[in-house]
Every structure is written in C-alpha cells, then in structure tokens.
Amino acid sequence: MHLALKPALSRSWRDTETLQFGTVTRFAGVLGNADKTLCDFLALLDGTRDRPALLDAGERLGLGREPAEALLAELEETGLLDDAAAAASALARFPEPHRGQLGPDLASLTLVHSGPGAAPAVLSRRAGQRIEVRGAGRVGAAVAAVLAAGGAGEVTVVDGGRVLPGDCSPAGVPPNDVGRLRATAAKEAVQRASARPQRPAPRRPAGAPPPDFVVLAPRDGSAAFAGGWYEARQLLKAGVPHLYVGVVEEFGVVGPLVIPAMSACGHCLVLRREDEDAAWPRVLAQLADDGPGRARTPACDSALATAVAGLAALHVQVYLDGGRPPSVDGWCEVSAVDGMPRRLRLRGHPDCGCLWQPLPPG
Ligand SMILES: [Zn+2]
C-alpha cells in the first residue's frame, strides 16, 4: 500500500499552525500543530512510499517513528489517506482516454468511501458491472450514457423502432440520429460517453445470469407511475434490483429503487395510489391509449429529463457502490414548475406481498 494524501482535498491554513483539508468546513479534516517537520512529512505522502518507508523517513526528519505512526493513524481515521497503488491499478482497468476521464470520478469516490484503497475498490467493481436500461428516450439513453461514463463495465439499452426528434437530448441520443434504429443510436451514445467500445452487446443464452441492475425508463414516461407490472414481476422473481425513472407531463420521477424482498416495489406504489384515489387504476390503464383521432405531444422538458437522468444514474451508482439512495423505500420528484426536488416515503403495501417472508418450515 502506497499512502497518499487524497489529491481531491484542497489544503489551506486556518491559522499559522492549523491545516484544513477540504473546502467545506463541515466535512473538512483539521490538523493542529503543523510545524515545518510535520509539513515536510506530509510532503512525503505522495503515493511513492509504503508505510515502513514513511516511518523510516519520519525518523530521519526528526519527527520520530512513533509520532509518525500516530500521525498516519490520525490521517487515516480522518479519511485523508488513500492507497495510490490501488488507485493506479483500478484506473488501469479502463483504457485511455476513458481512464483520464475517470480521474475526477475516482477523486470524488475517495471522498465518499473513506479508508485507503476503499474508493479504488469501488471503481474496480464498477468495471465488472452489467446494467440494462430499458427505454432509449430522452431519459433512458441519458441514464445509460452517464452510467457508462462513470465506469460501469457493460451498459446495454433495450428499445425498438427508430429515433424520433422527441427522443433526442444533449445527454443521450443526438438529433442527427433521427431515423436510425433506437438500439443502435443508444449503443453509440453509450460508447461515446465512455470513450471506448463497450463489450459486444450480449445475446445471452437462456439461463444466463441476469444483469446486476435494470433501469426501467420507457419513453412514454409511464415508469414514473410504476407501470410495467409484468416486467417488474419478472425482475422481482429473478432477484434483480431495478429503478423506475421517467418524466410525465411536468413531473420527473426517480424511484422507487427496488431491492427485491428487501424494499417496497413498484406495485406497492400502484396500490398506494389506489388507496389515495379509487379511480387511479382506470386512469393508469388509459395512460397509453388516448383514443382515436387525438393528436398528442407528450411533454418532456429537456432540462428536467437531463436532471432526472442524472439523479437516476447517481442513485444506481450509490446503490451498486454499497450505499442506500433515497429512492429505496421512497421516490424523488422534480417538478418543472419550480425545479425543487422532493423525496416521498414509500412503505411496503400490505396487499402487495413482495415483502412477505416465507413461512418457516414445519
Ligand atoms: Zn410490493
């Protein structure tokens, strides 16, 4: 392990002998009694030395072996140290130019995952992830591109038909792809985002393991109201975590993120809406069918779709990296009226059964 002060953290003097690491005071690490000897020692934490070499150097500098050891422990506990060797080998899993592009992403991960080597381990895991996005519209294609940019090893987008002008967005499928096959255009958006060819899209044989995560982002935005019940049932049965995301009219919705048998599912949300509004099932059933002769332009604000796609991708990453995003047992809404994100809580519905535990044997 080659210890380094996290390069993501700014360094500033609070007074003549107190160093602050990090800009936001609330989260910053503070080191007192920072005299010249201590600063000389800190300069050695550049990722070229392992712990024994650092302790030897501490002795040579006149800091002393034990104080140097105590200082390293304090820096580690405050979350200021990373393992430069692990960071280099995590980045080496990605070819250039994606590797360079991921530098700031890894720097950000070092601030979220504290101990030396923790963030590189997260980035390495991302390289092995398989994520499927269902829907290549303004939201779906953008979610896929952002996840690929963040290091997800394989991102596939499933959709049919050809690109319409309304499918395009600056974060997903570009306007000059209008008329091309949606699946191809979305695949290329993913490749551009990660600056490399993704592994060939899998034509997986029956019985192959399912993806690590599925994002349900149908173009009509119905996922925002937890549609696709059959599809969701299959994912629950297969134990595949999934996230609903979409824009309906002026609302963007992210969630629920469903951890099968562990958190409330999309059907729990449908049942809850039924409890609140007895006519809801009838309205829901008609969402996809406007009746004959009624021309309709589905609303989808570009900024809202981009915000929702970014938020959804972030929630997927937080979950796959080992955290618990607010769309678990809840959902987030962003309205184009005021741009204010809100989080709403969702409990498992007693009539749904997705959280029922099997009866104990006997
Ligand atoms: Zn449920």
Side-chain angles (χ1 to χ4, degrees):
M1 188 178 285
H2 285 177
L3 293 172
L5 282 168
K6 290 179 177 173
L9 291 169
S10 64
R11 205 182 307 188
S12 42
W13 291 96
R14 293 183 64 80
D15 54 42
T16 50
E17 55 177 26
T18 312
L19 265 174
Q20 172 172 322
F21 295 88
T23 309
V24 184
T25 307
R26 210 157 22 115
F27 303 110
V30 174
L31 199 61
N33 304 317
D35 58 13
K36 180 170 183 318
T37 311
L38 189 137
C39 288
D40 288 347
F41 183 74
L42 291 181
L44 302 176
L45 290 166
D46 59 358
T48 59
R49 297 166 183 83
D50 60 13
R51 197 179 290 262
L54 284 165
L55 296 179
D56 290 346
E59 214 161 12
R60 280 200 300 278
L61 282 173
L63 182 65
R65 181 168 282 265
E66 272 178 26
E69 199 150 17
L71 177 61
L72 286 178
E74 185 188 344
L75 292 172
E76 188 171 342
E77 202 160 296
T78 323
L80 302 183
L81 290 184
D82 198 10
D83 176 4
S89 79
L91 286 170
R93 298 193 61 163
F94 301 87
E96 289 288 12
H98 195 200
R99 188 183 307 165
Q101 186 188 327
L102 280 167
D105 294 77
L106 177 58
S108 172
L109 284 173
T110 65
L111 305 181
V112 179
H113 301 270
S114 181
V122 168
L123 186 64
S124 294
R125 276 204 305 278
R126 283 190 185 176
Q129 285 164 358
R130 289 196 298 117
I131 301 173
E132 183 178 301
V133 179
R134 299 186 185 168
R138 267 189 191 175
V139 174
V143 173
V146 174
L147 287 171
E154 184 183 296
V155 183
T156 50
V157 187
V158 181
D159 206 341
R162 291 181 182 274
V163 176
L164 295 173
D167 299 333
C168 300
S169 86
V173 172
N176 50 6
D177 276 350
V178 167
R180 298 183 67 209
L181 288 173
R182 282 197 179 98
T184 309
K187 187 174 127 190
E188 289 176 7
V190 164
Q191 288 173 346
R192 274 192 303 275
S194 57
R196 63 174 174 146
Q198 292 276 302
R199 278 180 240 151
R203 198 170 275 279
R204 297 192 182 275
D212 300 307
F213 199 94
V214 169
V215 178
L216 298 168
R219 271 173 286 112
D220 66 1
S222 61
F225 291 108
W229 173 228
Y230 172 76
E231 207 176 356
R233 191 87 226 165
Q234 298 301 110
L235 292 171
L236 281 173
K237 240 168 99 180
V240 178
H242 49 282
L243 172 70
Y244 295 89
V245 55
V247 171
V248 165
E249 295 166 2
E250 80 276 35
F251 270 105
V253 178
V254 178
L257 189 157
V258 183
I259 312 167
M262 302 280 285
S263 73
C265 78
H267 194 58
C268 290
L269 179 53
V270 171
L271 290 172
R272 170 176 158 161
R273 289 193 206 276
E274 281 179 30
D275 290 344
E276 290 166 355
D277 174 8
W280 174 248
R282 189 174 296 180
V283 173
L284 185 64
Q286 295 168 76
L287 282 183
D289 178 19
D290 280 306
R294 180 164 178 255
R296 180 170 164 256
T297 304
C300 189
D301 183 90
S302 288
L304 181 63
T306 307
V308 159
L311 188 61
L314 183 59
H315 285 200
V316 175
Q317 284 179 340
V318 167
Y319 170 72
L320 289 174
D321 293 347
R324 189 179 171 91
S327 48
V328 175
D329 284 331
W331 75 94
C332 298
E333 285 183 358
V334 190
S335 163
V337 174
D338 55 11
M340 171 72 87
R342 296 171 188 82
R343 194 255 178 181
L344 296 102
R345 193 165 167 204
L346 176 67
R347 292 172 194 277
H349 196 283
D351 294 342
C352 179
C354 66
L355 296 175
W356 291 352
Q357 298 297 318
L359 288 170

